[in-house]
Amino acid sequence: MPAERERALVGRAREEASAFAELYDFYLPRVYGFVYRRVRDRAVAEDLTSVTFQRALENVRRADFRNESFGGWLYRVASNAVVDHIRRDRRYVPIADAGSEGPGDLALDALSAALDRDQLRRALKSLPDNHREVLVLRFYDDLDASEMCAVLNCSKETLAVRLHRALRALRMVVAKESADVA
């Protein structure tokens, strides 16, 4: 959604239910997918998505709500809802656990479609969590820079550095594995 349109809808959403409904319709499948890939449970993903939009509606109507990047803020709320759930539930399997089928496997599978799936999967699983998280948010969740910054709680400059380092680390792992095979 174009930033100007989003800002206008958020401004109108304080008074008009139809404006919030348009934001909801646009972001619902994206936020649900974002949450589902992290919890891998449909009912939990639905609940956390519902909590996310409930918090959004409550906050949008507040006079002090900052209207810079609603989408980024919304992903941050969803991310926090997932973290809160994990803390309460403790059945979370981290994405970095290479020996298990954790919540990141779907994201890793889709991202690997452009390259050799097995090689890319092994490479991603061997990366540190911070590199893998940045790559999944960018290339699988397809978040833009402001949304990623909100999820990762960092500046755009820091994000650029993190993304560059993650891509470089991925290239090095793939190159090393290719050299080992040859």
Side-chain angles (χ1 to χ4, degrees):
M1 174 176 294
E4 290 178 21
R5 174 100 178 114
E6 182 179 273
R7 279 193 291 278
L9 285 171
V10 170
R12 288 183 21 229
R14 290 186 172 108
E15 316 258 329
E16 298 175 27
S18 63
F20 188 81
E22 191 172 335
L23 290 165
Y24 177 85
D25 289 343
F26 179 80
Y27 281 108
L28 177 65
R30 292 163 176 80
V31 170
Y32 174 80
F34 176 85
V35 171
Y36 180 80
R37 285 185 291 278
R38 281 144 184 84
V39 297
R40 301 272 311 249
D41 181 309
R42 184 176 177 174
V44 172
E46 289 170 356
D47 289 346
L48 295 178
T49 301
S50 175
V51 165
T52 299
F53 281 100
Q54 177 186 358
R55 290 178 185 167
L57 182 58
E58 291 168 355
N59 281 283
V60 161
R61 293 188 171 160
R62 293 178 42 199
D64 62 341
F65 182 74
R66 291 185 359 202
N67 186 7
E68 294 171 14
S69 172
F70 178 76
W73 177 83
L74 194 61
Y75 282 110
R76 185 68 183 166
V77 171
S79 179
N80 288 340
V82 169
V83 168
D84 291 346
H85 167 74
I86 291 166
R87 286 180 181 150
R88 282 190 311 271
D89 195 36
R90 297 291 180 208
R91 286 186 289 158
Y92 175 71
V93 179
I95 192 171
D97 188 356
S100 71
E101 295 296 312
D105 285 346
L106 290 177
L108 295 176
D109 288 345
L111 181 60
S112 68
L115 300 172
D116 176 40
R117 286 182 183 258
D118 293 333
Q119 182 183 27
L120 185 57
R121 177 182 288 241
R122 287 189 303 274
L124 283 170
K125 285 186 175 186
S126 71
L127 290 177
D129 288 345
N130 60 331
H131 290 332
R132 186 178 316 101
E133 180 181 31
V134 169
L135 294 172
V136 169
L137 288 172
R138 174 63 189 100
F139 296 106
Y140 186 71
D141 290 329
D142 198 29
L143 301 186
D144 66 26
S146 62
E147 293 166 337
M148 288 178 66
C149 288
V151 170
L152 298 170
N153 198 25
C154 67
S155 69
K156 285 189 178 187
E157 294 79 13
T158 301
L159 174 64
V161 170
R162 288 179 69 179
L163 186 56
H164 172 77
R165 288 178 180 167
L167 287 169
R168 185 180 62 203
L170 181 62
R171 277 192 298 269
M172 288 175 29
V173 169
V174 169
K176 181 182 182 309
E177 186 173 306
S178 295
D180 289 346
V181 171

